[in-house]
Amino acid sequence: MKIGIINYPTFGGSGIVGTELGLKLMERGHEVHFISYQLPERLKLEEKFIFHEVNILSYPLFKYKPYTIVLASLLSKLQKEEQIDVFHAHYAIPHSISQHLAKLTDPNMKIISTLHGSDIHLLGLDDAYKPILENSLNNHDALTTVSKFMTKFIDEHYSIEKDIQVIYNFVDPEKFSHIKKPEKDEIVLSHVSNFRQVKRSPDIIKALAQVVEKHPNVRLEMIGQGPELEYCRDLAITMGLKDNITFRGSLLNVPRVLCFTDIFLIPSAIESFGLAALEAMSCKIPVISSNAGGLPEVNVHEKTGFVIETGDVDGLAESILTLVNDEELRKKFGKEGSRIAREKFHPDVIVPQYENLYKKIIEK
Ligand code: GMT
């Protein structure tokens, strides 16, 4: 098949899922066309790929560049010139709307969107997007989401007249696997985040303050960048935790930090799936997550880690302390996490679900 993948090029989960899916589809013999406004981060590690850049010319009248239209025109052009069998957008705003616009130029064009997260549970609810978004999604050939939580959320908040298939995100054990941890005299906690408010990253610093009172040899790795990063840095200083926290910025090689990690933390206020938690599980790392959104579909309480109430800083500290004090429990949760990652979220389980969906809509 010839498949067009439209995604954001950044470190965000939807961009990663789109890119990794495209790469897996290439491995399985498909011709994949990556479409984005710049080369996706994870493609930078690859040698062979087809990439189409969405190029917007400046014009003095434009205060805001009309990205949605330029992307739609590119998709329409690709449909004509490359005879793409199916276009697959990751993150609905504005990608799904551009796909729908392009389909207006050729009704035979097949379009699918995967609804990832804040495109639906935050931005999409706003009147500034909702009417057009809903109409575009209703004109798609197929829709998928990344968790049962997301499907339920869409049912409750949108008028979508088609079935929405849940296809979970996946993790490649070749890229995220357990590497024997080096001997060290500290316990390392990690948090991978875009430091937006929904991630509740400051809760981790507050919990760490309680933890180091009992165990001064606990250190936290904060990976990523975003609006609350500066606040987190300040909080670390005011709470006297400067020496217990390392801020790393965005990293292409997350597995390198994960191999030093003993406990992974993701206490978000909402999370449609929590790809970072799955990547940690794949590396045999126990996870402490909140019970928000689709997180409990990934991290299973008392099997792969602990699931706490969102915002429960004391509960977070208590769970960290339980795992800090119990190496055997860390190993047990880590092992189970990696087993579930391999069985339920393996590319060989997930990618064929997308292939089958593509085939179904192409044959229709
Ligand atoms: O939706 C977002 O806030 C961003 C999006 C992204 O592009 O990173 O993340 C969402 O999609 C990921 C991949 O499916 C999920 O793992 C994240 O849980 C989800 N984020 C939220 O729901 C906040």
Side-chain angles (χ1 to χ4, degrees):
M1 282 181 271
K2 281 192 173 189
I3 302 153
I5 299 262
I6 302 124
N7 64 350
Y8 281 112
T10 50
F11 286 100
S14 67
I16 290 171
V17 171
T19 306
E20 294 290 340
L21 173 63
L23 292 170
K24 285 286 161 207
L25 290 165
M26 279 165 64
E27 270 175 39
R28 295 167 75 92
H30 302 289
E31 182 177 308
V32 176
H33 293 247
F34 293 95
I35 302 149
S36 193
Y37 62 78
Q38 105 199 355
L39 193 65
E41 288 298 331
R42 286 212 183 165
L43 264 195
K44 291 182 182 163
L45 300 170
E46 303 298 322
E47 281 171 10
K48 263 191 176 173
F49 50 81
I50 306 170
F51 174 62
H52 304 276
E53 187 178 331
V54 187
N55 238 325
I56 316 181
L57 295 177
S58 293
Y59 189 69
L61 275 183
F62 294 156
K63 184 172 174 193
Y64 306 104
K65 291 183 177 177
Y67 181 75
T68 310
I69 302 176
V70 179
L71 173 59
S73 295
L74 176 61
L75 299 182
S76 173
K77 178 173 162 263
L78 287 174
Q79 167 76 2
K80 276 197 197 82
E81 291 177 1
E82 303 279 352
Q83 287 88 43
I84 304 283
D85 293 306
V86 57
F87 287 94
H88 184 177
H90 292 265
Y91 204 89
I93 299 173
H95 303 146
S96 307
I97 295 153
S98 299
Q99 286 198 140
H100 175 215
L101 276 176
K103 194 176 166 79
L104 294 176
T105 68
D106 179 355
N108 292 322
M109 188 169 164
K110 304 289 184 185
I111 59 172
I112 295 185
S113 277
T114 294
L115 310 172
H116 275 274
S118 57
D119 47 349
I120 290 297
H121 60 60
L122 187 71
L123 277 183
L125 294 176
D126 195 302
D127 284 348
Y129 301 104
K130 198 172 179 197
I132 299 299
L133 177 63
E134 223 165 38
N135 184 278
S136 295
L137 296 180
N138 274 318
N139 281 289
H140 269 55
D141 296 286
L143 296 172
T144 75
T145 59
V146 295
S147 61
K148 292 180 186 150
F149 158 79
M150 279 290 277
T151 313
K152 188 161 174 276
F153 188 96
I154 295 167
D155 265 2
E156 288 168 1
H157 295 87
Y158 292 81
S159 304
I160 303 289
E161 286 133 27
K162 42 179 65 316
D163 283 347
I164 302 176
Q165 188 177 338
V166 176
I167 303 185
Y168 283 128
N169 291 329
F170 61 89
V171 65
D172 187 347
E174 298 289 318
K175 293 187 181 169
F176 287 85
S177 57
H178 172 63
I179 304 166
K180 198 170 174 340
K181 293 192 178 73
E183 287 298 321
K184 53 188 169 53
D185 55 4
E186 59 177 7
I187 297 281
V188 178
L189 318 176
S190 289
H191 174 61
V192 178
S193 174
N194 51 23
F195 290 90
R196 282 179 301 164
Q197 236 179 351
V198 287
K199 301 290 171 183
R200 296 198 65 100
S201 313
D203 285 3
I204 298 178
I205 298 175
K206 290 174 197 160
L208 182 69
Q210 296 185 29
V211 171
V212 294
E213 267 180 29
K214 296 196 172 120
H215 284 275
N217 64 338
V218 175
R219 197 169 55 80
L220 170 65
E221 292 272 356
M222 292 290 235
I223 302 153
Q225 280 175 320
E228 283 207 327
L229 183 59
E230 273 322 297
Y231 173 67
C232 286
R233 282 185 197 276
D234 290 347
L235 193 63
I237 293 167
T238 47
M239 296 195 92
L241 294 168
K242 207 168 140 277
D243 296 335
N244 294 81
I245 307 183
T246 312
F247 290 94
R248 296 232 177 241
S250 295
L251 291 179
L252 206 47
N253 200 346
V254 176
R256 246 189 100 193
V257 175
L258 288 182
C259 80
F260 285 91
T261 298
D262 297 288
I263 305 164
F264 188 83
L265 308 171
I266 177 163
S268 311
I270 189 156
E271 200 72 62
S272 66
F273 182 87
L275 184 65
L278 178 60
E279 290 175 341
M281 281 161 57
S282 182
C283 296
K284 287 199 178 163
I285 298 165
V287 172
I288 304 174
S289 73
S290 66
N291 58 356
L295 275 170
E297 291 173 56
V298 182
N299 178 35
V300 187
H301 186 54
E302 291 184 343
K303 270 193 160 185
T304 61
F306 291 120
V307 177
I308 54 153
E309 287 287 326
T310 301
D312 180 6
V313 173
D314 293 342
L316 180 57
E318 207 179 296
S319 301
I320 296 172
L321 281 169
T322 306
L323 286 177
V324 165
N325 287 323
D326 193 340
E327 190 184 351
E328 279 315 302
L329 191 62
R330 292 203 300 274
K331 278 192 184 148
K332 188 176 149 207
F333 284 171
K335 211 168 145 201
E336 183 62 3
S338 130
R339 189 189 66 76
I340 292 182
R342 271 151 220 265
E343 278 181 13
K344 192 171 167 190
F345 302 105
H346 195 282
D348 291 347
V349 175
I350 303 298
V351 177
Q353 297 180 36
Y354 281 116
E355 279 177 320
N356 290 339
L357 187 62
Y358 298 158
K359 277 186 210 141
K360 201 166 114 189
I361 67 161
I362 290 167
E363 281 159 15
K364 214 167 164 186

